[in-house]
Amino acid sequence: MRTIHFHPKLMQRRRRLMKIVRPREKERRKGEWAERFTGDSICSYPPEDLALEHYGAFLRKRTERVLSDAHTQVAPFSTSLFDGVDVRETVRNWHQGKIYVRIEQLVRGKPGAVVVIFDDEPLVPEDDDEAEPKFSWHMTWQGEHEDEGDMALYASDPFAQLVGPGIGRALYGGFLLNRPPGQMFGVWEDPHFGEARTKAEVLLRAALDYSAERLVVYVAAAPPRPALRQLAQRMDKKIVYVPLGQLSPVALKRLRVFHVLSDRNVRAVAHRYIRD
C-alpha cells in the first residue's frame, strides 16, 4: 500500500501569488525605453513625492518636540503649577512626597527647510581623483500645488538605469525640502552658493537662504562646519543638527530610491514598473 498526500490549499495559494507577482516587462528591442526621454520635460512619481513630503513633516514635528523637551525644566511644586504636573518625575520621586511641575521655555522660531544628506560628495573633484562622480545628477524641482513644496537634490543618473518606458531609477545623495512652493529656483546654478565645498553644503546654504522659518533641520552623518553655523547666526537663523543614525534605517532606505518620468502621461502606467 502506498500513501499519497494532496495539498490543494498550497496549490491554490501558489496560483494566487503567481497572478499577483508577475515578472517585470522587458524591452522588445534595445533602447526602446530610452526613446521616451526626449529632453523636453521630465516629472516625478506622485506617490514618492507624497512619501517625501510626509517624511519632511515628520522631521519638522520631531525637531519641535526635541527642542521643546530640551527647553523644559522640572522643579518641585511650590506656589505655581506653571505648565502642569510632570507625572513621570513625580512618580520617580514618590518617596520624597513632592509633586514636580514642568516649566516650559519658549523656543524662538519653527522648523522650516529640511536637508537630508545620505552621502556627501565634493562639489569639485580633486585633481588626483579621476573617477566619475557618484552623484552626477543635480536638479531643482518646483512644487506642482500648494500641498507640495520645492525641492533641490543631487543623485545618481536616473537615465543610466531604466526600469520602464520613460521611467528611470536613481539614488538620492541628498535633498532639500522647502515650503511654500514656487520660491526656490536654480540652486545648482546660483553663484551665491559658490563658496560651498561639498554638495551637502550647497543644499544647506540654499536652505538658510530660502527658508521662511528661523530653524533649518539638517540630517546627516556628520554635523556642518562651524563656518556654516556662523553664517546661520549672521542670517538670524539656526541649524538644528539631527544625526542620521537616530532615524529609522528602513524608512531611509525606502525613501532614498526614487524615479524620474519622461512626461506626465507615463504616470498612468508607472505603477506597473515601479515596485516597493
Side-chain angles (χ1 to χ4, degrees), residues 75-107:
F77 169 73
S78 55
T79 58
S80 174
L81 289 175
F82 290 101
D83 295 295
V85 177
D86 191 309
V87 178
R88 180 179 299 178
E89 195 68 22
T90 300
V91 172
R92 184 182 293 118
N93 298 278
W94 189 256
H95 60 281
Q96 298 179 1
K98 296 180 180 180
I99 297 177
Y100 285 79
V101 296
R102 295 169 57 89
I103 306 174
E104 298 179 359
Q105 300 177 358
L106 182 63
V107 179

PDB file of all heavy atoms in Angstrom, residues 75-107:
ATOM      1  N   ALA A  75      10.769  71.140  38.227  1.00  0.00           N
ATOM      2  CA  ALA A  75      11.063  71.671  39.562  1.00  0.00           C
ATOM      3  C   ALA A  75       9.975  71.235  40.541  1.00  0.00           C
ATOM      4  O   ALA A  75       8.830  70.971  40.137  1.00  0.00           O
ATOM      5  CB  ALA A  75      11.138  73.202  39.515  1.00  0.00           C
ATOM      6  N   PRO A  76      10.305  71.133  41.822  1.00  0.00           N
ATOM      7  CA  PRO A  76       9.281  70.779  42.819  1.00  0.00           C
ATOM      8  C   PRO A  76       8.203  71.860  42.908  1.00  0.00           C
ATOM      9  O   PRO A  76       8.477  73.056  42.745  1.00  0.00           O
ATOM     10  CB  PRO A  76      10.079  70.681  44.128  1.00  0.00           C
ATOM     11  CG  PRO A  76      11.500  70.526  43.711  1.00  0.00           C
ATOM     12  CD  PRO A  76      11.651  71.264  42.421  1.00  0.00           C
ATOM     13  N   PHE A  77       6.992  71.439  43.134  1.00  0.00           N
ATOM     14  CA  PHE A  77       5.872  72.383  43.250  1.00  0.00           C
ATOM     15  C   PHE A  77       6.032  73.216  44.523  1.00  0.00           C
ATOM     16  O   PHE A  77       6.300  72.702  45.602  1.00  0.00           O
ATOM     17  CB  PHE A  77       4.555  71.605  43.303  1.00  0.00           C
ATOM     18  CG  PHE A  77       3.385  72.444  43.677  1.00  0.00           C
ATOM     19  CD1 PHE A  77       2.837  73.359  42.780  1.00  0.00           C
ATOM     20  CD2 PHE A  77       2.831  72.351  44.948  1.00  0.00           C
ATOM     21  CE1 PHE A  77       1.756  74.139  43.135  1.00  0.00           C
ATOM     22  CE2 PHE A  77       1.747  73.127  45.308  1.00  0.00           C
ATOM     23  CZ  PHE A  77       1.204  74.020  44.394  1.00  0.00           C
ATOM     24  N   SER A  78       5.855  74.557  44.326  1.00  0.00           N
ATOM     25  CA  SER A  78       5.930  75.440  45.495  1.00  0.00           C
ATOM     26  C   SER A  78       4.693  76.329  45.549  1.00  0.00           C
ATOM     27  O   SER A  78       3.836  76.162  46.424  1.00  0.00           O
ATOM     28  CB  SER A  78       7.203  76.291  45.445  1.00  0.00           C
ATOM     29  OG  SER A  78       7.262  77.010  44.210  1.00  0.00           O
ATOM     30  N   THR A  79       4.600  77.260  44.589  1.00  0.00           N
ATOM     31  CA  THR A  79       3.466  78.188  44.609  1.00  0.00           C
ATOM     32  C   THR A  79       2.655  78.163  43.313  1.00  0.00           C
ATOM     33  O   THR A  79       1.535  78.660  43.286  1.00  0.00           O
ATOM     34  CB  THR A  79       3.964  79.630  44.840  1.00  0.00           C
ATOM     35  OG1 THR A  79       4.893  79.984  43.805  1.00  0.00           O
ATOM     36  CG2 THR A  79       4.637  79.745  46.200  1.00  0.00           C
ATOM     37  N   SER A  80       3.221  77.628  42.238  1.00  0.00           N
ATOM     38  CA  SER A  80       2.541  77.651  40.946  1.00  0.00           C
ATOM     39  C   SER A  80       2.727  76.317  40.233  1.00  0.00           C
ATOM     40  O   SER A  80       3.772  75.664  40.354  1.00  0.00           O
ATOM     41  CB  SER A  80       3.087  78.788  40.071  1.00  0.00           C
ATOM     42  OG  SER A  80       2.537  78.721  38.765  1.00  0.00           O
ATOM     43  N   LEU A  81       1.698  75.924  39.452  1.00  0.00           N
ATOM     44  CA  LEU A  81       1.775  74.699  38.655  1.00  0.00           C
ATOM     45  C   LEU A  81       2.507  74.923  37.332  1.00  0.00           C
ATOM     46  O   LEU A  81       2.779  73.968  36.612  1.00  0.00           O
ATOM     47  CB  LEU A  81       0.362  74.166  38.363  1.00  0.00           C
ATOM     48  CG  LEU A  81      -0.387  73.562  39.552  1.00  0.00           C
ATOM     49  CD1 LEU A  81      -1.800  73.199  39.149  1.00  0.00           C
ATOM     50  CD2 LEU A  81       0.342  72.325  40.069  1.00  0.00           C
ATOM     51  N   PHE A  82       2.770  76.172  36.999  1.00  0.00           N
ATOM     52  CA  PHE A  82       3.436  76.543  35.757  1.00  0.00           C
ATOM     53  C   PHE A  82       2.732  75.885  34.556  1.00  0.00           C
ATOM     54  O   PHE A  82       1.597  76.203  34.264  1.00  0.00           O
ATOM     55  CB  PHE A  82       4.930  76.180  35.808  1.00  0.00           C
ATOM     56  CG  PHE A  82       5.708  77.044  36.752  1.00  0.00           C
ATOM     57  CD1 PHE A  82       6.056  76.591  38.011  1.00  0.00           C
ATOM     58  CD2 PHE A  82       6.070  78.336  36.376  1.00  0.00           C
ATOM     59  CE1 PHE A  82       6.754  77.404  38.885  1.00  0.00           C
ATOM     60  CE2 PHE A  82       6.783  79.151  37.249  1.00  0.00           C
ATOM     61  CZ  PHE A  82       7.119  78.683  38.512  1.00  0.00           C
ATOM     62  N   ASP A  83       3.412  74.926  33.884  1.00  0.00           N
ATOM     63  CA  ASP A  83       2.815  74.299  32.689  1.00  0.00           C
ATOM     64  C   ASP A  83       2.258  72.917  32.966  1.00  0.00           C
ATOM     65  O   ASP A  83       2.105  72.098  32.049  1.00  0.00           O
ATOM     66  CB  ASP A  83       3.872  74.207  31.579  1.00  0.00           C
ATOM     67  CG  ASP A  83       4.314  75.584  31.112  1.00  0.00           C
ATOM     68  OD1 ASP A  83       3.482  76.305  30.552  1.00  0.00           O
ATOM     69  OD2 ASP A  83       5.493  75.937  31.328  1.00  0.00           O
ATOM     70  N   GLY A  84       1.968  72.627  34.211  1.00  0.00           N
ATOM     71  CA  GLY A  84       1.326  71.353  34.549  1.00  0.00           C
ATOM     72  C   GLY A  84       2.231  70.438  35.354  1.00  0.00           C
ATOM     73  O   GLY A  84       3.440  70.652  35.480  1.00  0.00           O
ATOM     74  N   VAL A  85       1.622  69.392  35.894  1.00  0.00           N
ATOM     75  CA  VAL A  85       2.345  68.423  36.721  1.00  0.00           C
ATOM     76  C   VAL A  85       3.117  67.471  35.821  1.00  0.00           C
ATOM     77  O   VAL A  85       2.586  66.949  34.831  1.00  0.00           O
ATOM     78  CB  VAL A  85       1.372  67.636  37.617  1.00  0.00           C
ATOM     79  CG1 VAL A  85       2.109  66.572  38.428  1.00  0.00           C
ATOM     80  CG2 VAL A  85       0.612  68.584  38.543  1.00  0.00           C
ATOM     81  N   ASP A  86       4.389  67.241  36.173  1.00  0.00           N
ATOM     82  CA  ASP A  86       5.197  66.250  35.471  1.00  0.00           C
ATOM     83  C   ASP A  86       4.991  64.913  36.171  1.00  0.00           C
ATOM     84  O   ASP A  86       5.604  64.628  37.203  1.00  0.00           O
ATOM     85  CB  ASP A  86       6.674  66.650  35.488  1.00  0.00           C
ATOM     86  CG  ASP A  86       7.511  65.807  34.548  1.00  0.00           C
ATOM     87  OD1 ASP A  86       7.419  64.563  34.636  1.00  0.00           O
ATOM     88  OD2 ASP A  86       8.240  66.367  33.711  1.00  0.00           O
ATOM     89  N   VAL A  87       4.110  64.089  35.599  1.00  0.00           N
ATOM     90  CA  VAL A  87       3.728  62.831  36.248  1.00  0.00           C
ATOM     91  C   VAL A  87       4.919  61.885  36.364  1.00  0.00           C
ATOM     92  O   VAL A  87       5.109  61.227  37.389  1.00  0.00           O
ATOM     93  CB  VAL A  87       2.569  62.171  35.468  1.00  0.00           C
ATOM     94  CG1 VAL A  87       2.187  60.838  36.111  1.00  0.00           C
ATOM     95  CG2 VAL A  87       1.364  63.095  35.412  1.00  0.00           C
ATOM     96  N   ARG A  88       5.722  61.806  35.327  1.00  0.00           N
ATOM     97  CA  ARG A  88       6.851  60.877  35.338  1.00  0.00           C
ATOM     98  C   ARG A  88       7.838  61.214  36.456  1.00  0.00           C
ATOM     99  O   ARG A  88       8.274  60.328  37.202  1.00  0.00           O
ATOM    100  CB  ARG A  88       7.561  60.906  33.990  1.00  0.00           C
ATOM    101  CG  ARG A  88       8.749  59.964  33.891  1.00  0.00           C
ATOM    102  CD  ARG A  88       9.384  60.035  32.526  1.00  0.00           C
ATOM    103  NE  ARG A  88       8.453  59.654  31.485  1.00  0.00           N
ATOM    104  CZ  ARG A  88       8.739  59.655  30.189  1.00  0.00           C
ATOM    105  NH1 ARG A  88       9.938  60.070  29.779  1.00  0.00           N
ATOM    106  NH2 ARG A  88       7.847  59.267  29.297  1.00  0.00           N
ATOM    107  N   GLU A  89       8.195  62.478  36.573  1.00  0.00           N
ATOM    108  CA  GLU A  89       9.155  62.879  37.612  1.00  0.00           C
ATOM    109  C   GLU A  89       8.538  62.749  38.994  1.00  0.00           C
ATOM    110  O   GLU A  89       9.240  62.418  39.970  1.00  0.00           O
ATOM    111  CB  GLU A  89       9.609  64.318  37.361  1.00  0.00           C
ATOM    112  CG  GLU A  89      10.841  64.731  38.137  1.00  0.00           C
ATOM    113  CD  GLU A  89      12.089  64.005  37.678  1.00  0.00           C
ATOM    114  OE1 GLU A  89      12.105  63.522  36.528  1.00  0.00           O
ATOM    115  OE2 GLU A  89      13.048  63.927  38.477  1.00  0.00           O
ATOM    116  N   THR A  90       7.232  63.013  39.122  1.00  0.00           N
ATOM    117  CA  THR A  90       6.560  62.882  40.420  1.00  0.00           C
ATOM    118  C   THR A  90       6.553  61.439  40.887  1.00  0.00           C
ATOM    119  O   THR A  90       6.831  61.140  42.063  1.00  0.00           O
ATOM    120  CB  THR A  90       5.120  63.406  40.311  1.00  0.00           C
ATOM    121  OG1 THR A  90       5.144  64.788  39.920  1.00  0.00           O
ATOM    122  CG2 THR A  90       4.401  63.285  41.645  1.00  0.00           C
ATOM    123  N   VAL A  91       6.252  60.503  39.974  1.00  0.00           N
ATOM    124  CA  VAL A  91       6.245  59.074  40.344  1.00  0.00           C
ATOM    125  C   VAL A  91       7.665  58.600  40.659  1.00  0.00           C
ATOM    126  O   VAL A  91       7.872  57.801  41.587  1.00  0.00           O
ATOM    127  CB  VAL A  91       5.627  58.247  39.196  1.00  0.00           C
ATOM    128  CG1 VAL A  91       5.780  56.757  39.466  1.00  0.00           C
ATOM    129  CG2 VAL A  91       4.161  58.613  39.012  1.00  0.00           C
ATOM    130  N   ARG A  92       8.655  59.091  39.876  1.00  0.00           N
ATOM    131  CA  ARG A  92      10.042  58.671  40.104  1.00  0.00           C
ATOM    132  C   ARG A  92      10.523  59.081  41.503  1.00  0.00           C
ATOM    133  O   ARG A  92      11.326  58.380  42.126  1.00  0.00           O
ATOM    134  CB  ARG A  92      10.942  59.286  39.035  1.00  0.00           C
ATOM    135  CG  ARG A  92      12.397  58.816  39.138  1.00  0.00           C
ATOM    136  CD  ARG A  92      13.279  59.476  38.103  1.00  0.00           C
ATOM    137  NE  ARG A  92      12.934  59.042  36.756  1.00  0.00           N
ATOM    138  CZ  ARG A  92      12.494  59.840  35.793  1.00  0.00           C
ATOM    139  NH1 ARG A  92      12.324  61.135  36.035  1.00  0.00           N
ATOM    140  NH2 ARG A  92      12.219  59.368  34.598  1.00  0.00           N
ATOM    141  N   ASN A  93      10.049  60.231  42.003  1.00  0.00           N
ATOM    142  CA  ASN A  93      10.470  60.725  43.329  1.00  0.00           C
ATOM    143  C   ASN A  93       9.320  60.655  44.337  1.00  0.00           C
ATOM    144  O   ASN A  93       9.191  61.519  45.209  1.00  0.00           O
ATOM    145  CB  ASN A  93      10.964  62.170  43.205  1.00  0.00           C
ATOM    146  CG  ASN A  93      12.180  62.284  42.310  1.00  0.00           C
ATOM    147  OD1 ASN A  93      13.307  62.051  42.727  1.00  0.00           O
ATOM    148  ND2 ASN A  93      11.943  62.636  41.047  1.00  0.00           N
ATOM    149  N   TRP A  94       8.494  59.628  44.201  1.00  0.00           N
ATOM    150  CA  TRP A  94       7.327  59.484  45.086  1.00  0.00           C
ATOM    151  C   TRP A  94       7.740  59.336  46.549  1.00  0.00           C
ATOM    152  O   TRP A  94       7.008  59.755  47.455  1.00  0.00           O
ATOM    153  CB  TRP A  94       6.508  58.269  44.650  1.00  0.00           C
ATOM    154  CG  TRP A  94       5.188  58.147  45.344  1.00  0.00           C
ATOM    155  CD1 TRP A  94       4.850  57.286  46.342  1.00  0.00           C
ATOM    156  CD2 TRP A  94       4.034  58.945  45.106  1.00  0.00           C
ATOM    157  NE1 TRP A  94       3.549  57.480  46.736  1.00  0.00           N
ATOM    158  CE2 TRP A  94       3.025  58.499  45.984  1.00  0.00           C
ATOM    159  CE3 TRP A  94       3.753  59.995  44.228  1.00  0.00           C
ATOM    160  CZ2 TRP A  94       1.755  59.063  46.007  1.00  0.00           C
ATOM    161  CZ3 TRP A  94       2.487  60.552  44.255  1.00  0.00           C
ATOM    162  CH2 TRP A  94       1.499  60.097  45.128  1.00  0.00           C
ATOM    163  N   HIS A  95       8.910  58.758  46.788  1.00  0.00           N
ATOM    164  CA  HIS A  95       9.365  58.543  48.162  1.00  0.00           C
ATOM    165  C   HIS A  95       9.659  59.862  48.880  1.00  0.00           C
ATOM    166  O   HIS A  95       9.701  59.905  50.109  1.00  0.00           O
ATOM    167  CB  HIS A  95      10.633  57.671  48.163  1.00  0.00           C
ATOM    168  CG  HIS A  95      11.774  58.284  47.418  1.00  0.00           C
ATOM    169  ND1 HIS A  95      11.865  58.266  46.034  1.00  0.00           N
ATOM    170  CD2 HIS A  95      12.876  58.951  47.862  1.00  0.00           C
ATOM    171  CE1 HIS A  95      12.968  58.877  45.649  1.00  0.00           C
ATOM    172  NE2 HIS A  95      13.612  59.320  46.739  1.00  0.00           N
ATOM    173  N   GLN A  96       9.852  60.958  48.096  1.00  0.00           N
ATOM    174  CA  GLN A  96      10.124  62.251  48.704  1.00  0.00           C
ATOM    175  C   GLN A  96       8.852  62.971  49.139  1.00  0.00           C
ATOM    176  O   GLN A  96       8.917  63.933  49.895  1.00  0.00           O
ATOM    177  CB  GLN A  96      10.895  63.147  47.738  1.00  0.00           C
ATOM    178  CG  GLN A  96      12.259  62.602  47.336  1.00  0.00           C
ATOM    179  CD  GLN A  96      12.979  63.515  46.369  1.00  0.00           C
ATOM    180  OE1 GLN A  96      12.466  64.580  45.998  1.00  0.00           O
ATOM    181  NE2 GLN A  96      14.172  63.108  45.928  1.00  0.00           N
ATOM    182  N   GLY A  97       7.721  62.494  48.633  1.00  0.00           N
ATOM    183  CA  GLY A  97       6.459  63.138  48.978  1.00  0.00           C
ATOM    184  C   GLY A  97       6.280  64.505  48.337  1.00  0.00           C
ATOM    185  O   GLY A  97       5.593  65.369  48.897  1.00  0.00           O
ATOM    186  N   LYS A  98       6.891  64.718  47.167  1.00  0.00           N
ATOM    187  CA  LYS A  98       6.811  66.009  46.490  1.00  0.00           C
ATOM    188  C   LYS A  98       6.146  65.856  45.124  1.00  0.00           C
ATOM    189  O   LYS A  98       6.207  64.787  44.507  1.00  0.00           O
ATOM    190  CB  LYS A  98       8.199  66.641  46.306  1.00  0.00           C
ATOM    191  CG  LYS A  98       8.902  66.992  47.604  1.00  0.00           C
ATOM    192  CD  LYS A  98      10.259  67.619  47.316  1.00  0.00           C
ATOM    193  CE  LYS A  98      10.981  67.983  48.593  1.00  0.00           C
ATOM    194  NZ  LYS A  98      12.318  68.605  48.317  1.00  0.00           N
ATOM    195  N   ILE A  99       5.551  66.939  44.669  1.00  0.00           N
ATOM    196  CA  ILE A  99       4.965  66.999  43.333  1.00  0.00           C
ATOM    197  C   ILE A  99       5.866  67.865  42.460  1.00  0.00           C
ATOM    198  O   ILE A  99       6.277  68.962  42.861  1.00  0.00           O
ATOM    199  CB  ILE A  99       3.538  67.583  43.375  1.00  0.00           C
ATOM    200  CG1 ILE A  99       2.619  66.667  44.185  1.00  0.00           C
ATOM    201  CG2 ILE A  99       2.992  67.767  41.961  1.00  0.00           C
ATOM    202  CD1 ILE A  99       1.212  67.204  44.343  1.00  0.00           C
ATOM    203  N   TYR A 100       6.189  67.368  41.274  1.00  0.00           N
ATOM    204  CA  TYR A 100       7.069  68.098  40.356  1.00  0.00           C
ATOM    205  C   TYR A 100       6.242  68.676  39.200  1.00  0.00           C
ATOM    206  O   TYR A 100       5.307  68.033  38.703  1.00  0.00           O
ATOM    207  CB  TYR A 100       8.154  67.184  39.807  1.00  0.00           C
ATOM    208  CG  TYR A 100       9.245  66.890  40.811  1.00  0.00           C
ATOM    209  CD1 TYR A 100       9.050  65.941  41.816  1.00  0.00           C
ATOM    210  CD2 TYR A 100      10.453  67.566  40.770  1.00  0.00           C
ATOM    211  CE1 TYR A 100      10.054  65.680  42.756  1.00  0.00           C
ATOM    212  CE2 TYR A 100      11.456  67.318  41.704  1.00  0.00           C
ATOM    213  CZ  TYR A 100      11.241  66.375  42.686  1.00  0.00           C
ATOM    214  OH  TYR A 100      12.226  66.137  43.605  1.00  0.00           O
ATOM    215  N   VAL A 101       6.599  69.875  38.792  1.00  0.00           N
ATOM    216  CA  VAL A 101       5.879  70.566  37.719  1.00  0.00           C
ATOM    217  C   VAL A 101       6.847  70.878  36.577  1.00  0.00           C
ATOM    218  O   VAL A 101       8.069  70.917  36.760  1.00  0.00           O
ATOM    219  CB  VAL A 101       5.240  71.874  38.232  1.00  0.00           C
ATOM    220  CG1 VAL A 101       4.182  71.568  39.276  1.00  0.00           C
ATOM    221  CG2 VAL A 101       6.301  72.816  38.803  1.00  0.00           C
ATOM    222  N   ARG A 102       6.270  71.096  35.387  1.00  0.00           N
ATOM    223  CA  ARG A 102       7.054  71.407  34.187  1.00  0.00           C
ATOM    224  C   ARG A 102       7.082  72.913  33.962  1.00  0.00           C
ATOM    225  O   ARG A 102       6.056  73.583  34.075  1.00  0.00           O
ATOM    226  CB  ARG A 102       6.446  70.733  32.951  1.00  0.00           C
ATOM    227  CG  ARG A 102       6.507  69.216  32.997  1.00  0.00           C
ATOM    228  CD  ARG A 102       5.655  68.611  31.887  1.00  0.00           C
ATOM    229  NE  ARG A 102       6.080  69.088  30.576  1.00  0.00           N
ATOM    230  CZ  ARG A 102       7.017  68.495  29.843  1.00  0.00           C
ATOM    231  NH1 ARG A 102       7.624  67.404  30.320  1.00  0.00           N
ATOM    232  NH2 ARG A 102       7.346  68.963  28.667  1.00  0.00           N
ATOM    233  N   ILE A 103       8.269  73.418  33.619  1.00  0.00           N
ATOM    234  CA  ILE A 103       8.436  74.831  33.281  1.00  0.00           C
ATOM    235  C   ILE A 103       8.978  74.896  31.852  1.00  0.00           C
ATOM    236  O   ILE A 103      10.159  74.625  31.612  1.00  0.00           O
ATOM    237  CB  ILE A 103       9.401  75.540  34.259  1.00  0.00           C
ATOM    238  CG1 ILE A 103       8.942  75.329  35.706  1.00  0.00           C
ATOM    239  CG2 ILE A 103       9.502  77.019  33.927  1.00  0.00           C
ATOM    240  CD1 ILE A 103       9.919  75.880  36.736  1.00  0.00           C
ATOM    241  N   GLU A 104       8.105  75.174  30.918  1.00  0.00           N
ATOM    242  CA  GLU A 104       8.485  75.173  29.511  1.00  0.00           C
ATOM    243  C   GLU A 104       8.927  76.572  29.083  1.00  0.00           C
ATOM    244  O   GLU A 104       8.201  77.547  29.285  1.00  0.00           O
ATOM    245  CB  GLU A 104       7.317  74.704  28.644  1.00  0.00           C
ATOM    246  CG  GLU A 104       6.879  73.270  28.941  1.00  0.00           C
ATOM    247  CD  GLU A 104       5.708  72.840  28.088  1.00  0.00           C
ATOM    248  OE1 GLU A 104       5.231  73.679  27.278  1.00  0.00           O
ATOM    249  OE2 GLU A 104       5.253  71.689  28.222  1.00  0.00           O
ATOM    250  N   GLN A 105      10.109  76.647  28.484  1.00  0.00           N
ATOM    251  CA  GLN A 105      10.617  77.909  27.973  1.00  0.00           C
ATOM    252  C   GLN A 105      10.273  78.041  26.489  1.00  0.00           C
ATOM    253  O   GLN A 105      10.267  77.056  25.749  1.00  0.00           O
ATOM    254  CB  GLN A 105      12.140  77.984  28.166  1.00  0.00           C
ATOM    255  CG  GLN A 105      12.574  77.892  29.619  1.00  0.00           C
ATOM    256  CD  GLN A 105      14.082  77.906  29.760  1.00  0.00           C
ATOM    257  OE1 GLN A 105      14.801  77.941  28.780  1.00  0.00           O
ATOM    258  NE2 GLN A 105      14.558  77.872  31.003  1.00  0.00           N
ATOM    259  N   LEU A 106       9.998  79.233  26.069  1.00  0.00           N
ATOM    260  CA  LEU A 106       9.586  79.477  24.688  1.00  0.00           C
ATOM    261  C   LEU A 106      10.760  79.266  23.737  1.00  0.00           C
ATOM    262  O   LEU A 106      11.854  79.798  23.951  1.00  0.00           O
ATOM    263  CB  LEU A 106       9.054  80.905  24.538  1.00  0.00           C
ATOM    264  CG  LEU A 106       8.535  81.299  23.147  1.00  0.00           C
ATOM    265  CD1 LEU A 106       7.327  80.439  22.776  1.00  0.00           C
ATOM    266  CD2 LEU A 106       8.171  82.770  23.107  1.00  0.00           C
ATOM    267  N   VAL A 107      10.528  78.455  22.696  1.00  0.00           N
ATOM    268  CA  VAL A 107      11.536  78.215  21.660  1.00  0.00           C
ATOM    269  C   VAL A 107      11.286  79.205  20.527  1.00  0.00           C
ATOM    270  O   VAL A 107      10.196  79.246  19.947  1.00  0.00           O
ATOM    271  CB  VAL A 107      11.454  76.772  21.132  1.00  0.00           C
ATOM    272  CG1 VAL A 107      12.497  76.542  20.043  1.00  0.00           C
ATOM    273  CG2 VAL A 107      11.649  75.780  22.272  1.00  0.00           C
TER     274      VAL A 107
END
